[in-house]
């Protein structure tokens, strides 16, 4: 029973490029959450999605960031025109139901912008 | 605006002794609290949780205490083991469907053999 799978584990992008981070939730989980961890800080909520719907994107920067969770395939967090400040660890969590008590986190994608 | 704060960035404890990690919150809407453990290059792993209707929850070596009037919770690990060396995050949220977690900044625990 595979856990939450995130890929790539490490991603290096030059300033101005696009970054695509993928998250495959656990089997049977239809709720996906994305969090970002800046160096030496805690995790900050970005977006909550269910299949084909964005439920809460209150933590997403207004520009350059977008997320989707299509009917088929993984959830994608997309960052356009990356800047150095986007360098962080991005974690995805999934749960079988809505609510904060069923989260399972993936191992994260470490994005480095050079 | 830090709604969840862990004021001790690090903690060092001898193997076999008690580790006490503290967490303060400000948002009265939070009614569910969790502790996560995180090793380097891995995602957070759920450790223990507590609902606001309780003041204590215990699971093996881990006990979480909640003081609602002080908006304070703590995690006790006893006895501490070298494998407990990790970063511990306190998290809180409204338990209602669809709401997100707010995390503290973490406490790095080092258990010395």
């Amino acid at each position: 029973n595979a856990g939450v799978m995130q890929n790539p584990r490490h991603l290096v992008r030059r300033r101005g490029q696009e970054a695509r981070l993928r998250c495959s939730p656990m089997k049977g989980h239809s709720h996906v959450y994305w969090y970002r961890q800046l160096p030496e800080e805690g995790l900050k909520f970005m977006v909550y999605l269910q299949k084909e719907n964005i439920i809460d994107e209150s933590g997403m920067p207004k520009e350059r960031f977008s997320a989707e969770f299509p009917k088929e395939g993984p959830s994608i967090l997309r960052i356009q025109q990356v800047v150095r400040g986007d360098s962080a660890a991005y974690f995805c969590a999934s749960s079988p139901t809505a609510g904060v008590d069923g989260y399972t986190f993936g191992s994260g994608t470490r994005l480095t912008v050079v | 605006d830090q709604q969840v704060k862990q004021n001790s960035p690090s903690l060092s404890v001898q193997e076999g002794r008690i580790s006490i990690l503290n967490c303060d919150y400000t948002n009265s809407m939070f009614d569910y609290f969790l502790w996560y453990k995180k090793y380097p290059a891995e995602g957070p792993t759920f450790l223990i949780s507590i609902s606001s209707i309780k003041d204590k929850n215990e699971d093996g070596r881990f006990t979480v205490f909640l003081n609602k009037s002080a908006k304070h919770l703590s995690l006790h690990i006893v006895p501490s083991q070298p494998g407990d060396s990790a970063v511990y995050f306190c998290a809180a949220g409204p338990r209602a469907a669809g709401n997100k977690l707010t995390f503290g900044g973490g406490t790095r625990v080092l258990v010395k053999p």
Side-chain angles (χ1 to χ4, degrees):
Chain A
N1 183 20
V4 178
M5 304 300 291
Q6 288 189 250
N7 66 82
R9 290 296 305 273
H10 300 276
L11 182 62
V12 180
R13 284 287 177 265
R14 294 185 190 281
R15 281 178 291 171
Q17 290 184 319
E18 178 179 288
R20 281 189 181 233
L21 288 63
R22 285 177 289 279
C23 169
S24 296
M26 286 184 70
K27 190 175 181 180
H29 288 196
S30 58
H31 302 260
V32 166
Y33 301 78
W34 285 92
Y35 285 77
R36 174 166 67 173
Q37 184 185 21
L38 295 170
E40 305 303 319
E41 293 188 14
L43 283 74
K44 298 279 195 297
F45 169 80
M46 298 183 76
V47 62
Y48 162 41
L49 310 104
Q50 291 182 34
K51 283 285 187 183
E52 300 185 274
N53 288 304
I54 296 175
I55 307 302
D56 181 352
E57 57 181 347
S58 59
M60 287 274 272
K62 293 287 182 278
E63 297 177 352
R64 302 187 298 108
F65 285 72
S66 62
E68 63 177 10
F69 189 16
K71 188 176 179 182
E72 301 291 336
S75 175
I76 306 285
L77 179 67
R78 182 181 177 209
I79 311 171
Q80 295 179 288
Q81 299 174 330
V82 296
V83 301
R84 288 238 170 94
D86 297 333
S87 295
Y90 292 81
F91 291 98
C92 166
S94 72
S95 67
T97 59
V100 297
D101 57 349
Y103 278 29
T104 300
F105 279 92
S107 295
T109 293
R110 273 138 196 90
L111 172 66
T112 302
V113 179
V114 297
Chain B
D1 175 27
Q2 276 188 283
Q3 297 186 62
V4 178
K5 264 190 178 177
Q6 294 176 253
N7 288 318
S8 298
S10 63
L11 172 70
S12 182
V13 64
Q14 207 65 37
E15 181 180 3
R17 306 297 289 267
I18 185 170
S19 295
I20 300 177
L21 291 77
N22 294 300
C23 178
D24 297 294
Y25 64 97
T26 57
N27 192 331
S28 301
M29 298 297 292
F30 292 159
D31 60 2
Y32 199 68
F33 306 89
L34 308 94
W35 285 94
Y36 285 85
K37 178 178 178 180
K38 186 180 180 303
Y39 292 118
E42 293 185 13
T45 303
F46 170 75
L47 204 54
I48 193 168
S49 62
I50 188 166
S51 164
S52 60
I53 62 173
K54 293 187 172 183
D55 54 20
K56 178 182 173 181
N57 188 26
E58 194 171 349
D59 183 1
R61 297 184 297 113
F62 303 93
T63 303
V64 56
F65 296 92
L66 175 64
N67 181 335
K68 288 186 291 292
S69 60
K71 292 191 172 68
H72 176 85
L73 63 155
S74 61
L75 174 69
H76 292 207
I77 308 172
V78 55
S80 300
Q81 299 173 354
D84 295 332
S85 296
V87 178
Y88 290 78
F89 290 100
C90 167
R95 196 171 192 178
N99 281 290
K100 64 256 191 184
L101 286 173
T102 301
F103 281 79
T107 296
R108 185 178 303 275
V109 173
L110 175 64
V111 180
K112 298 178 186 174

